[in-house]
Amino acid sequence: MATQESMLKKIRESLSDVKASEKKPTLPDVPEVWHTEGLSLDEQAKRFKMNLETVSGEVVSCETLNDAIERIVVLLKETDSRKLAILNRPLSRSVADRLSDKELCFDPENAADASDETLARMDAAIVSPEFLLADTGSCFFAAPTAFDRLTTYITPLSIVVASASMLRENLPQAWGEIKSRVANAKTGEFVIVTGPSRTADIEKILILGVHGPKRLVVFLVPDA
């Protein structure tokens, strides 16, 4: 026992002689994974469109919000979409206000009413994101409730209404804004949607819509 205590004492003394700077190894510089190029909004819009269409998504550039609404009405008629889930955001609400002939489902006051069975019966969803990520063609949604989260991906047709000011070159460019939202939020999470759901089986046959929307259409409008 005396020998053990003696050895431990020597170890403690040796460690205490090590300088504080030597205890903390210098960390390597973090490499730049996402390079920001300083693209204009028009350039970001073109890149977003190219990357989303690469993964079978669709982008419709509209002159005004009214133009987008008229095009959405046509799309809903073509797809025979009558039951719609609406994400409670200014742009998606503006579209919903013009769809009085449809059965609309909004975020209920009672969270238990926002069941996946209810939303699974919807033909389409009209949603509006926080950001559009140009480098991946992704839509970035805040999802503080289960209804918000499910609405972004549970319906066969997902209609995204977004403005040019939502465009960001990449995710790091939006970190500051995301951080402030997280700091002020009591609950929730974020959802990133990149095109319609894509699944391939063992024979490498690509199937759309198994785990999410079979069709995703982004209507991009200029800022007012």
Side-chain angles (χ1 to χ4, degrees):
M1 183 64 69
T3 303
Q4 182 182 10
E5 289 296 330
S6 176
M7 291 178 62
L8 291 173
K9 181 179 179 182
K10 289 181 180 180
I11 292 172
R12 294 189 192 99
E13 291 174 350
S14 298
L15 290 175
S16 65
D17 292 337
V18 178
K19 296 181 180 179
S21 61
E22 295 175 351
K23 291 182 181 179
K24 299 179 181 179
T26 303
L27 296 176
D29 294 333
V30 178
E32 184 181 49
V33 179
W34 285 286
H35 175 61
T36 300
E37 303 175 45
L39 300 176
S40 67
L41 283 180
D42 285 343
E43 291 171 326
Q44 291 180 56
K46 291 177 182 177
R47 183 167 296 184
F48 174 82
K49 178 180 173 66
M50 177 187 70
N51 288 325
L52 182 56
E53 291 178 346
T54 298
V55 293
S56 303
E58 303 170 49
V59 178
V60 180
S61 298
C62 304
E63 296 181 359
T64 63
L65 179 57
N66 283 334
D67 179 29
I69 293 172
E70 291 174 1
R71 291 168 182 259
I72 290 171
V73 169
V74 172
L75 175 60
L76 294 174
K77 184 176 181 180
E78 291 175 345
T79 57
D80 194 26
S81 298
R82 303 176 184 180
K83 298 180 179 180
L84 310 177
I86 309 296
L87 197 61
N88 190 15
R89 303 291 185 273
L91 283 177
S92 47
R93 290 291 303 226
S94 295
V95 176
D97 289 342
R98 298 273 292 274
L99 303 175
S100 57
D101 61 326
K102 305 296 183 182
E103 181 180 330
L104 306 180
C105 176
F106 294 92
D107 192 355
E109 294 182 5
N110 182 4
D113 293 337
S115 65
D116 50 0
E117 291 86 358
T118 298
L119 287 171
R121 291 194 293 269
M122 298 293 106
D123 300 315
I126 298 178
V127 298
S128 183
E130 270 56 53
F131 307 111
L132 300 175
L133 307 179
D135 65 333
T136 57
S138 301
C139 302
F140 185 97
F141 297 92
T145 69
F147 181 92
D148 291 330
R149 183 171 65 255
L150 289 169
T151 301
T152 61
Y153 57 74
I154 198 172
T155 59
L157 170 61
S158 184
I159 297 172
V160 181
V161 188
S163 64
S165 62
M166 295 175 180
L167 284 161
R168 301 291 183 275
E169 282 191 38
N170 48 42
L171 188 57
Q173 194 179 47
W175 278 139
E177 296 165 278
I178 296 170
K179 183 178 179 181
S180 64
R181 293 181 186 221
V182 170
N184 297 324
K186 295 181 179 180
T187 183
E189 57 193 65
F190 296 96
V191 177
I192 298 177
V193 177
T194 307
S197 168
R198 300 160 62 87
T199 303
D201 62 15
I202 196 170
E203 296 181 355
K204 300 181 180 180
I205 298 175
L206 184 64
I207 302 174
L208 299 180
V210 175
H211 303 295
K214 186 174 183 179
R215 186 177 179 187
L216 183 142
V217 186
V218 176
F219 291 84
L220 188 59
V221 301
D223 294 299

